[in-house]
């Protein structure tokens, strides 16, 4: 089973330590800094206010920030020159920190910890840029990817950051790959690498069609096995939660593209698929932006049963269901989901008709479709 973080490492100490909790905490802090400097949360709030829905989204939940505090930065409209950033770093830590020469892990960890400490004491864009620049030297791929994602709109040399994100999309680590792909899609949506990541990889099944439940994948997951008949999570749901989960070869999929247009098309196709199969009233499970696809399908006329949203990025008002066309909406997620941070969406719904359930796990976007997580935390009882 994947190693999940039950307690984050807060503050500068995250950069001084090693291990899964430290690295994921570093990534979360960097991504949160990027959100602040871009003004992501203000954008989310403004959209909700414009739709008269100001209370329906929590961009970054206060209870998460109470356990995982972040320096407060003002949005920055100006980029910070890389030459200035490197000069400041070299003045304090020597030129090794900005050159392509090996740095002992202990030395780099101490440097990053000191930079983070300085940022907590003096919160400004230049200090944040120094932490991001130095984090590009980290031995941990997730930290490098998060730094590149956070730094992109702040740095005067963004092209090199795209290269880091590109390498991240080829990582063997699923979380690294998902954060990198999502961050890349935010800044280079039409990149050829992202198109390759949406290719289908159909797993054939001898299962029979059901009449009441369907599992829908998220962005860049069209070729993954876990959601397809015979796949790990599909098999778990069918054996333990919903024996009527759709399992025939013509199961529904969508492009998995990272755009509103791709999701809208997926939602319309889902409605058409359900109508052609005479499967109206389906209970729908959707992961990540697949959850937004299933919500959107109800706006396009699909009459559904329950909607189960797994690690769903919150983008109100664009993605909310037509509550008159569904019987219940349940959301299941983790604390400070790194992929949702990279997506620049909100972390939680605050809608009275959406039942939010936050697992005692931090950061990992894929935890919500892990069968062992469902067993360990009795997720079926949340439905």
């Amino acid at each position: 089973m994947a190693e999940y973080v039950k307690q984050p490492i807060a503050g500068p100490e995250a950069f001084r330590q090693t291990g899964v909790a430290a690295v994921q905490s570093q990534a979360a802090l960097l991504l949160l800094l990027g959100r602040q400097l871009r003004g992501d949360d203000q954008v989310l709030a403004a959209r909700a206010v414009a739709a008269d829905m100001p209370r329906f989204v929590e961009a970054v939940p206060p209870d998460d920030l109470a356990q995982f505090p972040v320096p407060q930065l003002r949005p920055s409209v100006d980029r910070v020159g890389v030459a200035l950033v490197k000069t400041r770093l070299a003045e304090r830590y020597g030129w090794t920190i900005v050159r392509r020469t090996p740095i002992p892990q202990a030395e780099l960890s101490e440097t990053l910890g000191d930079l983070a400490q300085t940022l907590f004491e003096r919160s400004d864009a230049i200090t944040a840029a120094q932490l991001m620049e130095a984090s590009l030297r980290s031995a941990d791929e997730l930290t490098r990817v998060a730094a590149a994602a956070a730094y992109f709109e702040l740095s005067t040399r963004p092209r090199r950051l795209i290269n880091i994100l590109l390498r991240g999309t080829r990582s063997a680590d699923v979380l690294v790959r998902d954060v990198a792909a999502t961050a890349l899609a935010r800044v280079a949506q039409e990149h050829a690498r992202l198109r390759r990541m949406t290719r289908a990889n159909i797993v054939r099944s001898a299962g029979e069609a059901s009449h009441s439940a369907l599992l829908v994948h998220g962005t860049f997951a069209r070729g993954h096995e876990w959601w397809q008949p015979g796949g790990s999570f599909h098999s778990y749901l069918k054996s333990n939660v919903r024996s009527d989960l759709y399992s025939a070869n013509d199961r529904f999929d969508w492009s998995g593209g990272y755009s509103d247009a791709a999701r809208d098309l997926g939602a319309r196709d889902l409605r058409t698929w359900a109508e052609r199969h005479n499967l109206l009233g389906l209970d729908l499970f959707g992961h990540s932006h697949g959850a937004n696809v299933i919500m959107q399908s109800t706006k396009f006329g699909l009459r559904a049963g329950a909607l189960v949203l797994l690690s769903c990025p919150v983008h109100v008002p664009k993605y909310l269901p037509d509550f008159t066309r569904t019987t219940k909406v349940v959301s299941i997620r983790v604390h400070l989901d790194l992929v949702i941070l990279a997506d620049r969406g909100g972390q939680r719904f605050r809608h009275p008709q959406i039942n939010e359930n936050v697992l005692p796990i931090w950061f990992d976007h894929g935890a919500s479709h892990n069968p062992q997580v469902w067993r360990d935390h009795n997720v079926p009882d949340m439905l």
Side-chain angles (χ1 to χ4, degrees):
M1 179 180 172
E3 183 178 349
Y4 294 120
V5 175
K6 300 298 180 66
Q7 183 63 44
I9 300 176
E13 193 60 27
F15 289 89
R16 296 190 176 106
Q17 295 189 27
T18 59
V20 172
V23 172
Q24 292 188 14
S25 297
Q26 293 168 25
L29 181 58
L30 290 163
L31 291 168
L32 284 162
L33 294 174
R35 287 179 70 103
Q36 290 189 40
L37 289 166
R38 290 187 303 264
D40 293 351
D41 296 349
Q42 291 90 330
V43 171
L44 283 171
R47 288 173 180 163
V49 167
D52 198 26
M53 299 179 178
R55 297 185 301 276
F56 290 172
V57 58
E58 274 190 335
V60 181
D63 57 313
D64 285 352
L65 290 177
Q67 296 185 67
F68 193 77
V70 181
Q72 295 301 299
L73 298 170
R74 293 181 179 179
S76 176
V77 296
D78 299 319
R79 291 183 181 266
V80 178
V82 172
L84 172 62
V85 172
K86 288 187 173 183
T87 298
R88 293 281 182 89
L89 286 170
E91 287 172 351
R92 184 163 184 173
Y93 304 107
W95 283 102
T96 303
I97 190 65
V98 295
R99 289 176 176 161
R100 294 183 179 180
T101 54
I103 304 175
Q105 180 64 38
E107 180 182 334
L108 181 59
S109 295
E110 189 56 39
T111 297
L112 293 175
D114 185 67
L115 281 166
Q117 184 69 50
T118 302
L119 183 60
F120 271 84
E121 295 169 356
R122 185 180 68 244
S123 301
D124 58 54
I126 292 179
T127 306
Q130 290 178 67
L131 178 60
M132 294 171 188
E133 180 71 41
S135 293
L136 298 176
R137 302 293 309 278
S138 174
D140 295 297
E141 193 174 22
L142 181 60
T143 300
R144 297 196 302 272
V145 163
Y151 201 15
F152 189 86
E153 280 89 351
L154 187 63
S155 174
T156 54
R157 289 179 53 200
R159 184 179 296 275
R160 67 200 173 117
L161 305 177
I162 285 187
N163 291 334
I164 292 172
L165 297 177
L166 277 173
R167 288 193 292 272
T169 66
R170 296 180 172 88
S171 174
D173 185 294
V174 174
L175 182 57
V176 172
R177 195 164 64 236
D178 286 349
V179 172
T182 301
L184 181 62
R186 292 296 312 193
V187 299
Q189 191 176 101
E190 299 302 319
H191 199 285
R193 170 61 183 157
L194 299 179
R195 290 197 295 273
R196 288 193 290 273
M197 292 181 72
T198 60
R199 290 174 180 168
N201 181 23
I202 298 174
V203 176
R204 295 298 177 187
S205 168
E208 297 296 325
S210 74
H211 294 84
S212 55
L214 179 72
L215 178 59
V216 178
H217 65 83
T219 312
F220 307 126
R222 190 181 187 190
H224 295 186
E225 61 79 30
W226 60 265
W227 65 272
Q228 301 194 55
S232 56
F233 187 56
H234 187 285
S235 296
Y236 165 77
L237 285 181
K238 187 169 178 61
S239 298
N240 299 276
V241 183
R242 294 298 299 263
S243 61
D244 54 354
L245 189 65
Y246 196 91
S247 302
N249 284 335
D250 64 341
R251 83 287 180 274
F252 172 78
D253 69 358
W254 62 290
S255 72
Y258 190 89
S259 69
D260 288 337
R263 292 170 209 132
D264 282 353
L265 180 59
R268 294 182 189 280
D269 287 348
L270 175 55
R271 176 192 173 184
T272 299
W273 181 92
E275 289 174 345
R276 287 177 177 172
H277 287 73
N278 194 28
L279 294 176
L280 302 183
L282 278 170
D283 291 341
L284 298 170
F285 294 74
H287 180 256
S288 193
H289 275 299
N292 285 323
V293 167
I294 66 176
M295 286 196 289
Q296 199 73 342
S297 70
T298 65
K299 287 184 178 177
F300 294 152
L302 177 65
R303 185 162 296 282
L307 304 184
V308 181
L309 318 177
L310 306 175
S311 300
C312 179
V314 181
H315 291 274
V316 171
K318 171 65 178 176
Y319 298 115
L320 279 175
D322 179 343
F323 290 101
T324 68
R325 292 181 174 274
T326 182
T327 59
K328 178 170 65 172
V329 184
V330 177
S331 174
I332 297 164
R333 61 178 73 248
V334 300
H335 295 275
L336 288 183
D337 187 311
L338 296 183
V339 173
I340 295 177
L341 289 177
D343 171 78
R344 310 182 188 183
Q347 290 282 324
R348 293 185 203 168
F349 293 100
R350 288 198 305 175
H351 196 288
Q353 291 177 269
I354 298 178
N355 180 16
E356 276 282 12
N357 298 270
V358 183
L359 300 170
I361 293 171
W362 288 73
F363 308 134
D364 199 305
H365 191 61
S368 62
H369 66 68
N370 184 312
Q372 193 60 50
V373 168
W374 277 57
R375 295 186 190 99
D376 290 347
H377 301 289
N378 202 17
V379 176
D381 276 3
M382 302 175 188
L383 305 182

